Amino acid sequence: MNVRVRFAPSPTGHLHVGSMRVALFNWLFARHHGGTFLLRVEDTDQARSTQEYTDSILKALEWVGMTSDEPVVLQTNNIARHHALIDQLLREGKAYKCYCSPEDIERRLLAGQFGKKYDKYCRTCAEQSPDKPYVVRFKIPETSFRITFHDLVLGDITIDSDQLDDFIIARSDGMPIYNFVVVADDIAMNVTHVIRGQDHISNTPKQLLLYQALGHAVPAFAHLPMILGKSGKLLSKRDAATAVFDYKDMGVLPEALLNYLARLSWAHGNQEIFTVQELIADFSLEHVGKSSAIFDVEKLWWINGEHIKRSTPQYLHEVIVRDIDPTLDTTLSSCSKEQILQTVALYQPRAHTLVMLRDELYTLLRQPVYDSMVLQTITPDVMECLKEIVKRLSALEWSAQVLEAAIKQATKDYHLSLGPVAHALRIAITGKPAGAGVFAMLVILGQQESIRRIGQLF
Ligand code: GLU
């Protein structure tokens, strides 16, 4: 079967990480099966949809490399077809115009004339009121029956048609409603698998009836577990940043975010770290869990750190400039590209984010700022030893081994231990008492600059 899936965001906000996980599972499923991944922007809620959000969602998907295999569909461009299909259902007697105002319904509801469902008043009365506004309701067949479907994640699901009321498919302003347009568009786009969040599961029986009414075979469905915050409620800003771009700004690699989101409700043995190619190769809906997943930002930092460790310095430098700091190279214009890459290589084993890595680049490669309190931690005897070290370094061949031997020798000659001398050198080089190995930093800075920085202390 030629798999065709779609991700159908509503542009009423920036892309949420939970929605990104839905997009990811669609994309992985399509890629794994050599199928087609489609994007449909569900912008029919004109009051809440904006172009800014549409652009932002498309950019976020582009950032992680999940772009539509066919031109992006804007749902508002399909409105004429939606209207034609509503008319078709009305003509065929599968839907009817309902002139009851919300007040009429409320009044009859309060009078206890019917349960919580619409009483089908207009379904049976044939009168037409051309001047009155109306909604269009879908006719649920009279005799009750069971609606069953096999969910690829949750298994068999059955509901009784009695649980449904004659639901509205077009509002009184003529705009067709979500459950209808989603079916109309999925049919038009030849979608074979609808993969979406469990929050839509109550819509599925209604949509199945609409497929039938429109005379179309139903696609397969897979409803994905919801993502919760640590509080146990749906992930919200109270728990963690929720917009995809917040994670980009915090220095997360796109492939690390995908890896983290994939692992939120899918497993492949005990493996935690996946390249995108591995995710594609290993992904299957059978291994998606049924229960909600908890968003744990600490695990995301860990996964990001692992991806940073495994990346080349060239790539990390590229992404830092692209995503975090476009002016990095200008700010560090006094350094060579090699120095920048060597510094990335020095810090990448312990950076959890690209922002941390960028900060370390600045710490080593920009002129240090000395804090008098920090400088006071260097004792006079250590300061004397530093003067001697400067003298000896001037005559050295510049390699980590030779430097280490010379500095250790000077330390010995001054009857000091290496700890306080390394501490003082680190302050001289970066202005900070903590950081990477002193010898590695000196090698990257080069002879002249290292000697100049140490010399600044006296
Ligand atoms: N626009 C809907 C949403 O954002 C998509 C629903 C669906 O995938 O059917 O939740």
Side-chain angles (χ1 to χ4, degrees):
M1 180 203 274
N2 178 22
V3 163
R4 286 174 68 85
V5 294
R6 57 29 171 210
F7 174 54
S10 306
T12 54
H14 296 291
L15 190 62
H16 188 282
V17 282
S19 304
M20 171 77 99
R21 201 273 322 251
V22 172
L24 173 64
F25 283 19
N26 274 285
W27 186 78
L28 290 175
F29 187 73
R31 288 290 167 274
H32 181 88
H33 292 283
T36 307
F37 172 75
L38 304 166
L39 267 175
R40 179 173 72 234
V41 178
E42 304 214 315
D43 57 348
T44 42
D45 181 351
Q46 298 274 298
R48 293 171 62 225
S49 304
T50 69
Q51 186 60 43
E52 184 206 342
Y53 289 138
T54 299
D55 294 343
S56 156
I57 290 170
L58 295 179
K59 259 174 124 177
L61 291 167
E62 201 176 301
W63 177 60
V64 294
M66 298 195 303
T67 48
S68 186
D69 294 328
E70 292 178 8
V72 174
V73 172
L74 289 185
Q75 198 158 51
T76 39
N77 290 343
N78 297 339
I79 287 178
R81 187 165 39 76
H82 299 153
H83 285 303
L85 288 171
I86 295 270
D87 287 346
Q88 179 189 321
L89 291 185
L90 282 169
R91 264 197 324 275
E92 293 173 353
K94 293 173 179 167
Y96 60 94
K97 294 178 182 173
C98 169
Y99 296 93
C100 300
S101 67
E103 296 76 35
D104 290 341
I105 296 178
E106 180 72 13
R107 191 170 26 79
R108 299 208 298 273
L109 199 92
L110 286 175
Q113 290 170 7
F114 54 98
K116 281 217 162 77
K117 293 194 294 184
Y118 174 62
D119 61 355
K120 305 182 183 172
Y121 180 82
C122 291
R123 175 170 169 149
T124 43
C125 79
E127 88 205 41
Q128 296 279 317
S129 317
D131 301 331
K132 263 180 100 179
Y134 63 86
V135 298
V136 178
R137 289 185 181 271
F138 181 72
K139 246 185 217 173
I140 303 281
E142 205 64 75
T143 41
S144 82
F145 59 98
R146 311 185 100 197
I147 307 166
T148 299
F149 69 100
H150 178 76
D151 188 283
L152 294 174
V153 171
L154 299 170
D156 289 338
I157 294 183
T158 299
I159 80 143
D160 213 281
S161 67
D162 287 345
Q163 290 176 33
L164 301 179
D165 81 354
D166 281 356
F167 58 91
I168 298 173
I169 54 176
R171 289 196 309 241
S172 56
D173 62 2
M175 283 301 276
I177 266 173
Y178 161 75
N179 272 317
F180 183 79
V181 284
V182 88
V183 171
D185 288 348
D186 283 343
I187 290 175
M189 293 163 77
N190 290 317
V191 168
T192 58
H193 294 74
V194 172
I195 303 172
R196 61 186 173 193
Q198 274 176 24
D199 48 339
H200 284 290
I201 199 141
S202 62
N203 292 318
T204 307
K206 296 177 191 168
Q207 293 177 9
L208 292 172
L209 295 181
L210 286 168
Y211 276 100
Q212 254 172 29
L214 292 168
H216 202 278
V218 296
F221 286 89
H223 289 92
L224 308 174
M226 304 309 286
I227 300 179
L228 309 181
K230 281 204 165 143
S231 59
K233 300 210 182 90
L234 275 184
L235 179 68
S236 76
K237 283 184 188 153
R238 278 186 303 277
D239 305 296
T242 54
V244 167
F245 275 140
D246 290 339
Y247 288 94
K248 169 176 165 262
D249 294 344
M250 286 188 271
V252 173
L253 285 167
E255 57 273 31
L257 185 60
L258 295 185
N259 182 165
Y260 175 68
L261 292 176
R263 281 291 293 108
L264 263 185
S265 37
W266 167 82
H268 180 70
N270 293 327
Q271 191 173 338
E272 289 288 4
I273 306 301
F274 293 82
T275 63
V276 174
Q277 286 317 313
E278 285 171 330
L279 288 177
I280 292 172
D282 297 336
F283 185 76
S284 78
L285 285 172
E286 290 95 81
H287 292 109
V288 173
K290 289 185 174 50
S291 42
S292 309
I294 306 282
F295 193 87
D296 173 3
V297 87
E298 293 305 322
K299 184 165 173 193
L300 170 56
W301 302 143
W302 175 73
I303 287 185
N304 198 41
E306 291 301 308
H307 279 268
I308 289 176
K309 260 184 219 162
R310 292 160 204 224
S311 300
T312 64
Q314 284 82 350
Y315 171 72
L316 294 172
H317 169 245
E318 235 168 72
V319 183
I320 290 172
V321 172
R322 186 193 70 194
D323 289 350
I324 308 290
D325 194 344
T327 59
L328 180 111
D329 287 345
T330 327
T331 312
L332 297 179
S333 58
S334 61
C335 304
S336 67
K337 180 82 183 277
E338 211 194 334
Q339 282 179 305
I340 294 177
L341 295 181
Q342 285 173 344
T343 309
V344 171
L346 180 63
Y347 284 98
Q348 73 183 97
R350 41 192 164 147
H352 289 295
T353 70
L354 297 177
V355 169
M356 286 167 78
L357 205 47
R358 186 273 318 266
D359 291 349
E360 297 294 6
L361 278 165
Y362 282 161
T363 299
L364 181 62
L365 298 177
R366 278 198 304 197
Q367 187 49 227
V369 179
Y370 299 114
D371 176 315
S372 57
M373 297 285 276
V374 174
L375 288 178
Q376 277 167 27
T377 61
I378 305 175
T379 54
D381 50 349
V382 170
M383 203 59 109
E384 284 313 306
C385 179
L386 287 191
K387 287 181 187 160
E388 177 61 21
I389 286 174
V390 164
K391 273 190 214 144
R392 295 189 191 180
L393 291 186
S394 312
L396 283 187
E397 173 205 328
W398 209 248
S399 78
Q401 264 173 336
V402 176
L403 279 171
E404 185 171 346
I407 290 169
K408 281 185 174 160
Q409 188 56 52
T411 306
K412 239 194 215 150
D413 297 345
Y414 278 72
H415 307 292
L416 293 165
S417 58
L418 185 60
V421 175
H423 166 81
L425 282 169
R426 205 173 268 122
I427 293 171
I429 297 165
T430 64
K432 295 189 175 146
V438 171
F439 307 118
M441 291 198 287
L442 289 169
V443 170
I444 294 173
L445 273 185
Q447 194 160 23
Q448 214 184 341
E449 178 62 9
S450 299
I451 290 170
R452 196 185 66 75
R453 288 196 190 179
I454 302 169
Q456 287 184 146
L457 293 197
F458 24 91

